[in-house]
């Protein structure tokens, strides 16, 4: 089986490429490298002894995507997209164009070439503020920012597409908070600019690239006052894609699955766990809340467990230890 990974040079894409190669799949990565480096693919090859075919190009280049698909591709995992919430508020047209129009172009190419099996990178952000916990897949979707709305709109397009033609088999994979890195420390998350997310920020404080962590609010209605999230190890997430690909032949239509651990950790708990990994305290201060942050978010993962036979296995300490190994060995991310 040959799988096309759009955005395959990125953080989650590169870890998934590794897992797929190890499972015996052939992998083609199509990436415009807007937020990644070709070095990640080189390292996946070295780690696995396999070979990812990298196609440098844009999702919106339908001809290029069609020719990649015609080269024996059986299924697509669609990671490619822009993902910074603040940037999406400042540049909504860029986000809707890249994420939504780019996805439409990919879907036209898939339809034209008869490749109709797809796993899509969605996000827990599509749920917005929820009334009940844990979050189940049947809860209403109410994304609260342009980035999240691109995910919600793409999901809707995929549901309508699958409704029009039962040859489509589509997984809407709603990731919670992906963190960590491959155990080797050779591949990991390499955010460009100032990291928006908690763990990459803490990791950059630990390695000396940032002065201190600012904790966004300690007055939330949670046991220690800081927000709670469902952090999931990127290698567990990568295995989740393999599980989805293997299950999809039995699932005509479009189906949503949460990918998380089902357990929440607070900002304080993440900071303490990272300090354990590093072996000393990390500089931090308490700041005001970040607008738009939900107090608590964690997944009900029972649907993925029963339908995909997938569940996360790594602890928060594993996530921090692996994230730290990557950051320590690559303080400035990938070279170049
Ligand atoms: P990433 O930025 O590392 O990977 C995305 C990749 O897509 C990058 O390599 C980028 O260069 C590429 N890309 C973007 N637009 C493209 C285009 N038009 N054509 C070709 N390539 C393009 O991000 P990631 O963390 O690996 O996320 C992968 C997917 O998962 C994204 O769709 C993201 O929205 C989604 N997601 C991520 C998280 C997270 O916290 N990391 C959480 C939920 C969902
Ligand atoms: C953010 C995005 C969400 C996206 C998710 C991907 C926002 C509003 N939401 O969510 O759309 O799907 O990332 O993983 O940006 N924190 C700090 N200090 C920091 C950074 C974060 O205290 O420097 C806190 C945040 O307030 C939050 C927690 O850490 O409570 C986790 O933050 P983050 O990693 O950004 O994830 P999400 O808030 O879940």
């Amino acid at each position: 089986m040959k799988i096309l990974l759009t955005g395959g040079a990125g953080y989650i894409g590169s870890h998934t490429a590794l897992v797929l190669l190890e499972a015996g799949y052939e992998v083609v990565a199509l990436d415009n490298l807007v937020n990644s480096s070709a070095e990640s693919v080189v390292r996946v090859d070295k780690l696995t002894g396999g070979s990812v075919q990298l196609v440098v190009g844009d999702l919106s280049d339908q001809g290029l995507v069609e020719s990649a698909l015609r080269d024996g591709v059986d299924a697509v995992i669609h990671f490619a997209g822009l993902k910074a919430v603040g940037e999406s508020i400042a540049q909504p047209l860029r986000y809707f164009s890249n994420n939504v129009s780019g996805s439409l172009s990919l879907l036209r190419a898939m339809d034209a070439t008869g490749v109709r099996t797809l796993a899509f990178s969605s996000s827990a952000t599509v749920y917005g503020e929820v009334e009940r916990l844990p979050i189940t897949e049947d809860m209403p979707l109410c994304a609260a920012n342009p980035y999240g709305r691109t995910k919600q709109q793409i999901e809707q397009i995929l549901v309508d597409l699958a409704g029009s033609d039962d040859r489509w088999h589509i997984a809407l994979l709603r990731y919670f908070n992906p963190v960590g890195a491959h155990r080797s420390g050779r591949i990991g998350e390499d955010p460009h600019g100032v990291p928006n997310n908690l763990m990459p920020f803490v990791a950059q404080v630990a390695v000396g690239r940032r002065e201190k962590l600012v904790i966004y609010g300690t007055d939330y209605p949670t046991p220690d006052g800081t927000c709670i999230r469902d952090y999931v190890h990127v290698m567990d997430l990568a295995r989740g894609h393999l599980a989805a690909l293997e299950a999809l032949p039995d699932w005509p239509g479009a189906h949503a699955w949460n990918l998380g651990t089902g357990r929440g950790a607070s900002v304080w708990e993440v900071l303490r766990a990272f300090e354990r990994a590093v072996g000393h305290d990390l500089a931090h201060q308490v700041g005001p809340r970040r607008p738009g942050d939900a107090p608590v978010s964690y997944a009900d993962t029972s649907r993925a467990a029963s339908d995909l036979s997938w569940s996360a296995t790594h602890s928060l300490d594993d996530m921090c230890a692996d994230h730290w190994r990557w950051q320590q060995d690559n303080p400035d991310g990938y070279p170049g």
Side-chain angles (χ1 to χ4, degrees):
M1 293 270 284
K2 191 188 246 192
I3 314 298
L4 175 71
L5 309 191
T6 73
Y11 172 45
I12 306 170
S14 56
H15 288 80
T16 304
L18 182 143
V19 164
L20 293 179
L21 285 175
E22 285 182 347
Y25 287 80
E26 285 182 67
V27 175
V28 184
L30 183 131
D31 202 304
N32 65 6
L33 305 179
V34 68
N35 196 40
S36 54
S37 159
E39 175 68 13
S40 65
V41 172
V42 171
R43 293 191 184 183
V44 167
D45 287 353
K46 283 196 185 131
L47 285 166
T48 58
S51 175
V52 175
Q53 185 192 333
L54 176 63
V55 178
V56 178
D58 200 278
L59 205 53
S60 62
D61 184 344
Q62 194 178 326
L64 179 74
V65 178
E66 279 188 27
S67 64
L69 289 168
R70 283 192 210 285
D71 195 19
V73 167
D74 299 288
V76 175
I77 308 181
H78 178 28
F79 296 104
L82 300 172
K83 61 166 186 175
V85 173
E87 196 178 64
S88 79
I89 294 167
Q91 304 174 33
L93 291 180
R94 180 169 170 233
Y95 269 68
F96 286 105
S97 170
N98 190 78
N99 292 6
V100 181
S101 302
S103 296
L104 283 171
S105 183
L106 169 70
L107 293 170
R108 280 193 295 269
M110 290 179 69
D111 205 34
T113 54
V115 180
R116 295 190 183 84
T117 300
L118 171 70
F120 169 60
S121 294
S122 189
S123 167
T125 200
V126 296
Y127 295 112
E129 284 253 3
V130 294
E131 285 176 3
R132 272 184 300 115
L133 289 158
I135 298 174
T136 52
E137 290 86 347
D138 55 4
M139 284 187 181
L141 304 189
C142 189
N145 54 64
Y147 162 70
R149 281 188 280 274
T150 69
K151 293 294 177 190
Q152 196 176 330
Q153 290 181 6
I154 297 163
E155 283 205 11
Q156 188 59 62
I157 290 166
L158 293 172
V159 169
D160 287 341
L161 181 61
S164 74
D165 180 342
D166 60 14
R167 289 175 297 175
W168 285 92
H169 292 234
I170 299 174
L172 311 172
L173 301 179
R174 295 180 183 153
Y175 314 153
F176 278 66
N177 290 63
V179 295
H182 185 257
R183 202 174 350 137
S184 64
R186 296 295 294 155
I187 56 170
E189 184 172 14
D190 181 17
H192 292 183
V194 181
N196 300 300
N197 298 116
L198 178 63
M199 197 167 294
F201 199 101
V202 174
Q204 291 197 4
V205 172
V207 84
R209 277 175 70 182
R210 310 274 158 209
E211 191 193 338
K212 61 184 168 215
L213 171 73
V214 177
I215 297 174
Y216 296 146
T218 54
D219 58 350
Y220 284 97
T222 60
D224 67 18
T226 63
C227 291
I228 291 176
R229 295 288 182 274
D230 185 340
Y231 298 92
V232 55
H233 197 296
V234 67
M235 289 303 293
D236 279 329
L237 203 57
R239 281 193 308 101
H241 293 79
L242 175 61
L245 275 183
E246 291 182 344
L248 268 176
D250 298 330
W251 291 87
H255 306 275
W257 285 286
N258 286 341
L259 298 183
T261 63
R263 288 181 301 279
S266 72
V267 177
W268 281 122
E269 286 170 331
V270 170
L271 178 62
R272 298 301 173 223
F274 213 92
E275 288 176 338
R276 281 195 294 280
V278 176
H280 58 78
D281 291 354
L282 296 171
H284 61 274
Q285 73 175 53
V286 171
R289 291 183 177 195
R290 179 173 67 179
D293 274 347
V296 185
S297 165
Y298 58 92
D300 182 320
T301 57
S302 50
R303 196 186 274 187
S306 62
D307 296 347
L308 309 179
S309 305
W310 174 87
S311 54
T313 58
H314 289 285
S315 68
L316 183 61
D317 280 320
D318 295 337
M319 300 177 210
C320 293
D322 291 340
H323 205 114
W324 175 230
R325 192 175 302 109
W326 149 257
Q327 188 72 73
Q328 202 175 15
D329 293 353
N330 304 270
D332 298 315
Y334 292 111

